[in-house]
Amino acid sequence: GARFYNDHGHPEYSTPECATLFDLVAHDKAGERIVLAAARARSEQLDASRVHIFKNNTDFHGSSYGTHENYLIPRETPFAQLLSGLLPFFATRIIYAGAGKLGIEPRGDMGLYQLSQRADFFTEEASVDTLHRRPLVNTRDEPHTDPRDWRRLHVICGDANMSEYATALKIGTTYLVTSLLEQGWQPWVRLKKPTEAIKAIARDQSYKWLVEAETGTIGAVDIQRIFLAAAKDKLSGRGSDTDWTLREWERTLDALESDPLSLGDRLDWVAKRGLLADYVESEGIGWDDETVQSFDLAYSNVDPDEGLYYALEQAGEMVRLTDDAMVEAAMTQAPTNTRAALRGYLVGRFADAIGVVGWNKVVLRTDQESWMVDLDDYLTPEAVGQAMADLQAADTLED
């Protein structure tokens, strides 16, 4: 039910539609393994050469590529309402969602370790662009479903997380914030310059993360607590994903306020910083030594035999929300409660008859006939379940 394709010269994997946090984490990790399998197959073809895959956001030479999040938002929610609420949230979310990065781009202090890989590259508050003059809030609106009912919130300002916990917290908190904004709630805080704030937060070596708001100086943790308090007040009791997010959001903010470096078992920027600090100390070198940057890159190598993140995970030093069996299952099984289940089933059972496959539809063809399955008709778990039952009961494509 997912998509894996060549996007302007680099491999891109998109998870299937997911309705739960842990499903999303499992399918994100499944994507790493699918892309790694492709890299290994290509390495065998090349014989003497080896393809390596890194799940990061920068080449350290001024180029950046995103890890995108997508959320369905009711069309009736005014975009201006989303924009004003999301700017302070996105500018400060990196204190727990950042992947960590050595150096400032372009041509900045290469010995400075910052929280985020993407923060350097944002110059606009909002626009449709993704490659130049990147915005904190992207205005692209391709919902891949009925546009009369839904808007697609296309988020490009996040880092690629290796940590399962960081991925879940990033997605879970953003989902709760969009839910608040859909209800008409707005944070009272407004940042003077959001694009400057995210850079200042990312580079702040004091870990106080103070920024300028219209009402004065305020800390990033305090801004996040504004969103957390509203979510606890208005969204508590909505289900296990919400309960997990609220609990872990508060726990993480408390630790970030008291002892940020205690979160090395769950936040990427802290875990990576610990590895780099140990290397710098053991080798007696400076943070600007070029070999330190190679360790930064190695953290995001998706090969479990080579990646530094996976070395930590295998040593039991990273919190996991999935297990290997869940990830392996996600490589071949779509989530059962979204339309991805139908897409995955049709591709798996009728592969030879696939004419067109996309997010919205699947076209099946034989020599005599063709059929189109409109996946927009199956946007609820109940509709998906009934359609799956009908498909599994059919003996042939014609049935």
Side-chain angles (χ1 to χ4, degrees):
R3 185 183 182 207
F4 178 38
Y5 60 105
N6 178 10
D7 182 45
H8 302 292
H10 66 267
E12 183 159 314
Y13 168 84
S14 298
T15 70
E17 301 91 331
C18 296
T20 72
L21 280 179
F22 290 7
D23 268 357
L24 182 62
V25 172
H27 281 277
D28 180 56
K29 285 296 176 181
E32 292 181 20
R33 297 192 184 189
I34 290 167
V35 177
L36 177 61
R40 286 174 170 171
R42 182 59 173 155
S43 295
E44 290 180 5
Q45 291 177 346
L46 294 172
D47 192 23
S49 300
R50 182 108 179 262
V51 177
H52 299 271
I53 299 292
F54 300 94
K55 185 184 179 186
N56 75 337
N57 302 104
T58 176
D59 66 354
F60 299 105
H61 295 286
S63 296
S64 179
Y65 27 89
T67 179
H68 297 180
E69 307 151 50
N70 298 283
Y71 305 83
L72 276 184
I73 306 293
R75 176 62 61 184
E76 63 192 23
T77 305
F79 185 77
Q81 188 170 298
L82 289 173
L83 177 61
S84 60
L86 288 172
L87 284 171
F89 175 71
F90 283 156
T92 56
R93 187 182 66 164
I94 59 171
I95 60 176
Y96 52 80
K101 171 182 157 184
L102 187 65
I104 297 174
E105 294 182 78
R107 299 180 299 280
D109 182 352
M110 299 314 294
L112 184 141
Y113 182 79
Q114 57 175 313
L115 271 58
S116 170
Q117 296 189 4
R118 287 285 273 173
D120 286 338
F121 299 96
F122 291 96
T123 60
E124 312 297 318
E125 292 185 4
S127 85
V128 73
D129 210 341
T130 59
L131 298 177
H132 309 283
R133 299 182 64 84
R134 294 181 180 93
L136 280 180
V137 178
N138 188 259
T139 58
R140 178 187 295 178
D141 184 9
E142 300 172 272
H144 297 306
T145 185
D146 192 334
R148 295 169 297 182
D149 297 328
W150 299 100
R151 171 189 296 278
R152 173 189 177 194
L153 177 62
H154 180 60
V155 180
I156 69 167
C157 63
D159 287 6
N161 293 108
M162 298 296 295
S163 163
E164 295 180 356
Y165 182 95
T167 295
L169 193 60
K170 174 178 69 179
I171 302 298
T173 57
T174 305
Y175 169 68
L176 294 187
V177 169
T178 59
S179 298
L180 289 171
L181 300 176
E182 288 168 15
Q183 294 181 11
W185 176 86
Q186 283 285 299
W188 57 262
V189 66
R190 294 287 185 272
L191 299 179
K192 286 186 176 180
K193 296 180 179 180
T195 57
E196 295 303 313
I198 192 172
K199 294 180 180 67
I201 292 167
R203 301 170 186 175
D204 184 2
Q205 302 300 290
S206 74
Y207 300 149
K208 300 298 182 183
W209 304 309
L210 300 177
V211 294
E212 292 301 316
E214 292 179 357
T215 54
T217 302
I218 186 172
V221 172
D222 295 321
I223 292 175
Q224 284 288 312
R225 288 196 191 278
I226 294 170
F227 291 94
L228 170 62
K232 290 173 67 175
D233 179 52
K234 297 178 179 296
L235 304 176
S236 292
R238 293 208 318 180
S240 58
D241 278 358
T242 295
D243 293 342
W244 182 90
T245 302
L246 291 174
R247 181 180 67 251
E248 298 305 317
W249 196 0
E250 184 165 32
R251 175 185 178 183
T252 299
L253 293 180
D254 289 344
L256 286 168
E257 198 164 48
S258 61
D259 183 10
L261 300 186
S262 68
L263 293 167
D265 63 342
R266 59 199 66 206
L267 300 189
D268 282 310
W269 77 262
V270 184
K272 183 191 292 184
R273 184 191 182 282
L275 288 173
L276 299 187
D278 288 346
Y279 177 71
V280 166
E281 182 177 2
S282 66
E283 296 298 314
I285 58 178
W287 281 79
D288 57 352
D289 190 288
E290 63 182 16
T291 61
V292 184
Q293 196 171 81
S294 68
F295 266 67
D296 184 335
L297 185 61
Y299 180 87
S300 59
N301 189 327
V302 301
D303 190 332
D305 296 330
E306 299 179 359
L308 295 185
Y309 166 79
Y310 281 109
L312 292 175
E313 185 180 278
Q314 292 160 13
E317 296 181 20
M318 298 300 296
V319 171
R320 290 200 69 181
L321 303 180
T322 70
D323 56 36
D324 288 342
M326 291 172 63
V327 176
E328 288 173 10
M331 293 177 68
T332 57
Q333 300 171 25
T336 59
N337 56 354
T338 74
R339 64 184 183 177
L342 301 175
R343 186 188 304 110
Y345 183 83
L346 290 169
V347 170
R349 183 173 176 186
F350 303 113
D352 292 341
I354 296 294
V356 176
V357 60
W359 296 116
N360 296 71
K361 66 180 179 181
V362 178
V363 176
L364 305 170
R365 296 185 179 130
T366 66
D367 291 339
Q368 291 78 34
E369 296 183 76
S370 66
W371 301 265
M372 187 187 81
V373 182
D374 187 347
L375 298 179
D376 288 348
D377 292 337
Y378 307 99
L379 295 182
T380 67
E382 294 76 18
V384 170
Q386 183 59 58
M388 284 295 294
D390 293 342
L391 282 170
Q392 290 165 352
D395 292 327
T396 66
L397 178 58
E398 286 74 12
D399 294 335

